[in-house]
Amino acid sequence: MKIGTWNWKKTVRGLTALALALGIAVGGSMIPARAVTQADIDALKGDAKEIAQDKRDLQAKIDQLSSDISNNLRRKELLDQQISLTEDEITNKEEEIAVYGQMITQSEAELADAEAREAAQYELFCKRVREMEKHGKVDYWSVLFRADSFSDLLSRLDIVNEIMKYDQKVMQDWRDVQEEVKAKKATLEGQKAESEAAKAELESKKTELDKQREAANQVIAQLRAQKSEQEDAMDDLDDDAEAIQAKILKLSRQLAAEEEARRAAEAAARGDSGTGSSTQSNPGGYIWPVNSRYITSAMGMRYGGIGAGNHKGNDIGRVGYTSSIYAAKTGTVIVSEYHRSYGNYVVISHGSGNTTLYAHMSKRIATVGQRVTQGTVIGITGSTGNSTGPHLHFEVTENGQRIDPFKKGYLTGAVYGS
């Protein structure tokens, strides 16, 4: 497992196992439900062990770092990775609990069936006992004594033997189904106990996640309190932002050139000149990238500690660690990566020189090269990178320059606060 990246392989494997158990549609077709087994649980527990080992390795690296600004930025990055691993553990445990739920449902159905068979077998046993008490074993002898020939005697003896064998089988079948019921009850109780233990562990992981997020936020808070070194650190962060902006512009121009070449090739194939096409961006036409309308830090100058200076975008607050982030405009994803300043961030190109950037995600969903329509979920809000709490850092670039979509009137309804 690669530290700091979402383990899609394990997640897909776990979700596919769950889909098989539930009998739900995967890839557009209906997968028939199958019985879940202990092997499904064992596979999930194996994944959990790997995640736990990655976390221990990462913790060792975190513990080696000192408290100076440079190393604290690296420490924050590692803490973000640690949070991602804990989120993996939580997902793994939730899948395990779901599989236990399916196993318990199956076991309860099997137990109910066994108990019904036990009741029917017990009724048959009681019926045979009543018959034996009513007629007594002497009837066997009377049956034999009524034989009128030796061959008739042998025939009657066979009948008596069959009756005795049948009675013995009734008794043995009753004992067998009793043992089956006992075993299934023990299995069911064991599964319920394992499920409860998994639920307790899940709650523990959620508590651990809260503590890790608090520790990660405290690292940035500590950095912002170190006034003597803040200028150098701010220079580094500004350099980071400008380097990212330069990368975005390069990729945006490259994408525009590729699209222009594609359109020209299509026009040539059609036999026309392709005139009338344009790579100019269409200003406006954006939607809010999250459901919140609360701006905690606007674009422009801000003061005080790490993060002070010329704010490159707008911070949208009053979001948690699970809010969806939407593509503000249709386009192509040109960046999807982790950076020490922006944390998990995604950039979408909407045409020549027109891009949107979404930073500090807890999880990136969109991938490089993906074509996304307006409103597509591209990630989940969080506090990765240079951030002290969950929010979305949102930037808009037009004609290669950052602009404020709120001052331009592209997005309305904003509420400003701290």
Side-chain angles (χ1 to χ4, degrees), residues 69 222-238 303-309:
I69 283 184
Q222 178 183 354
L223 290 177
R224 291 178 174 176
Q226 294 175 332
K227 301 293 185 179
S228 61
E229 300 179 66
Q230 68 178 6
E231 291 182 0
D232 289 341
M234 193 61 242
D235 288 342
D236 288 342
L237 296 178
D238 280 340
Y303 305 91
I306 303 301

Side-chain angles (χ1 to χ4, degrees), residues 29 105 138 206 246 254 290 381 384 414:
S29 61
T105 299
V138 67
K206 288 181 177 179
Q254 179 180 332
V290 287
T381 55
T384 56

Side-chain angles (χ1 to χ4, degrees), residues 87-114:
E87 289 172 336
D88 284 351
E89 285 187 316
I90 288 174
T91 299
N92 174 278
K93 195 57 59 178
E94 289 172 339
E95 292 169 1
E96 182 180 324
I97 290 170
V99 174
Y100 269 127
Q102 290 298 305
M103 292 175 67
I104 288 171
T105 299
Q106 290 169 191
S107 294
E108 287 175 338
E110 292 170 2
L111 176 59
D113 175 69

Side-chain angles (χ1 to χ4, degrees), residues 22 45 79-80 124 136 143 241 288 293 318 326 356 398:
L22 297 175
K45 288 184 176 180
L79 286 168
D80 287 341
L124 180 58
V143 169
W288 279 81
R293 300 292 184 269
R318 293 190 178 176
Y326 309 102
T356 49
E398 289 186 346

Side-chain angles (χ1 to χ4, degrees), residues 10-23 32-49 91-104 106 191 194 198:
K10 291 178 184 173
T11 301
V12 169
R13 184 168 67 208
L15 292 176
T16 301
L18 185 57
L20 289 170
L22 297 175
R34 67 159 174 81
V36 291
T37 66
Q38 186 61 39
D40 296 317
I41 296 293
D42 293 341
L44 289 168
K45 288 184 176 180
D47 290 344
K49 287 182 180 179
T91 299
N92 174 278
K93 195 57 59 178
E94 289 172 339
E95 292 169 1
E96 182 180 324
I97 290 170
V99 174
Y100 269 127
Q102 290 298 305
M103 292 175 67
I104 288 171
Q106 290 169 191
Q191 290 170 348
E194 290 276 357

